[in-house]
Amino acid sequence: MKDEIIKVEELHKYYKLDKIDVKAVRGVNLSIKKGQIAMILGPSGSGKSTLLHVLGALDKATKGKLIIKNTNLTDLDDYSLAIFRRYYFGFVFQTFNLIPTLNVLENVLVPTIPDNTTDKKRHRAKEIITEVGLEHRMYHKPSELSGGERQRVAIARSLINDPEIVFADEPTGNLDSKNATHIAELLVKLRDRENKTFVVVTHDPNMTKYADIIFYIKDGLIERIEDRHKSKKL
């Protein structure tokens, strides 16, 4: 498919929990195009976060195919997966995962450390921080920020290495409705401006109005797909 950046074929993920075999993802098939905001929607325990972790190569599938940028990630070893993640993926987590002793600029620059933090990267970090509306918080530490501001730092950090795909696990889960809306609108702005692909896990149906394609998951299976074909403009 033209412009297809993620393709999943019969993906399964099993793991053990207290000697019990848990089939968290059971034969998922999906396709996401470049520049889309794709949302995975489902209740707690539906397998949505497990699926996101497999799509983002943070965890390996038990079986099936995960093809990203025409590369079958299920064929890669751990080192090759780490390199692939570094250059093509960004991650946003529900709990922000900011380092409390570092200021906003330093937190955004953390993913650049393996390749050495250059002046060019530092300049880019300042641009991204300004783009997410936190230029006035550049040298503040996480404890001095609101929840919405911390999440914007996390989004800026996910963009510092210019990834093609950003994976976000419940990015609005710890926010009130006003801040959740601001974060969703920010994702749309970044998608429109930089042609990024976002894969977002959420349990909030109010988030779906910002999506281009929605995968409804239950008990590890995709129950329904809502494909809106063309990108939304706010």
Side-chain angles (χ1 to χ4, degrees):
M1 183 186 298
K2 188 178 180 182
D3 297 328
E4 186 178 62
I5 194 168
I6 299 174
K7 183 174 178 62
V8 168
E9 298 177 355
E10 288 300 315
L11 199 71
H12 295 253
K13 178 60 183 178
Y14 308 154
Y15 61 88
K16 283 191 177 293
L17 182 64
D18 295 330
K19 299 182 181 180
I20 299 173
D21 289 323
V22 178
K23 296 183 177 181
V25 176
R26 302 183 293 141
V28 163
N29 295 278
L30 61 80
S31 174
I32 299 170
K33 294 179 182 179
K34 182 175 176 59
Q36 285 189 319
I37 295 178
M39 291 192 182
I40 302 170
L41 188 73
S44 296
S46 61
K48 59 186 185 295
S49 289
T50 299
L51 177 58
L52 187 81
H53 289 173
V54 174
L55 294 178
L58 295 172
D59 204 354
K60 286 189 174 182
T62 304
K63 59 181 178 178
K65 288 185 178 181
L66 169 60
I67 301 167
I68 297 182
K69 289 183 59 65
N70 297 316
T71 299
N72 187 356
L73 300 195
T74 52
D75 291 338
L76 301 184
D77 59 27
D78 289 343
Y79 176 78
S80 299
L81 276 177
I83 297 300
F84 197 95
R85 284 196 305 268
R86 184 190 304 177
Y87 289 108
Y88 295 114
F89 297 167
F91 296 93
V92 180
F93 302 99
Q94 181 180 357
T95 53
F96 316 134
N97 290 358
L98 302 180
I99 298 173
T101 56
L102 302 182
N103 63 34
V104 168
L105 178 60
E106 292 165 336
N107 266 287
V108 171
L109 286 167
V110 164
T112 71
I113 292 173
D115 292 324
N116 296 320
T117 302
T118 63
D119 289 340
K120 183 177 180 181
K121 286 288 188 181
R122 186 173 292 275
H123 177 72
R124 175 59 179 152
K126 291 179 179 180
E127 286 184 335
I128 297 171
I129 291 167
T130 299
E131 188 169 16
V132 301
L134 290 177
E135 63 275 16
H136 61 299
R137 297 289 202 183
M138 190 91 63
Y139 302 104
H140 287 66
K141 292 183 178 178
S143 62
E144 301 173 289
L145 306 176
S146 68
E149 288 172 333
R150 287 182 221 172
Q151 192 60 289
R152 280 187 274 165
V153 176
I155 292 170
R157 181 184 57 194
S158 76
L159 298 171
I160 186 61
N161 283 329
D162 196 25
E164 294 195 37
I165 306 169
V166 176
F167 296 94
D169 192 358
E170 299 278 10
T172 62
N174 287 327
L175 305 178
D176 59 36
S177 59
K178 182 178 179 180
N179 275 306
T181 297
H182 288 164
I183 293 301
E185 291 174 347
L186 175 60
L187 298 186
V188 173
K189 182 178 78 169
L190 292 168
R191 186 276 315 276
D192 291 346
R193 184 176 299 175
E194 302 189 15
N195 200 31
K196 302 294 185 191
T197 303
F198 287 91
V199 183
V200 181
V201 156
T202 183
H203 66 273
D204 182 2
N206 292 323
M207 287 285 289
T208 60
K209 64 184 178 182
Y210 301 98
D212 301 306
I213 187 166
I214 307 162
F215 301 96
Y216 295 89
I217 187 170
K218 184 179 180 181
D219 298 328
L221 295 165
I222 300 294
E223 284 195 321
R224 181 165 62 92
I225 299 173
E226 183 179 341
D227 190 346
R228 299 176 179 181
H229 300 294
K230 59 184 180 180
S231 299
K232 283 185 174 293
K233 304 290 183 182
L234 292 185

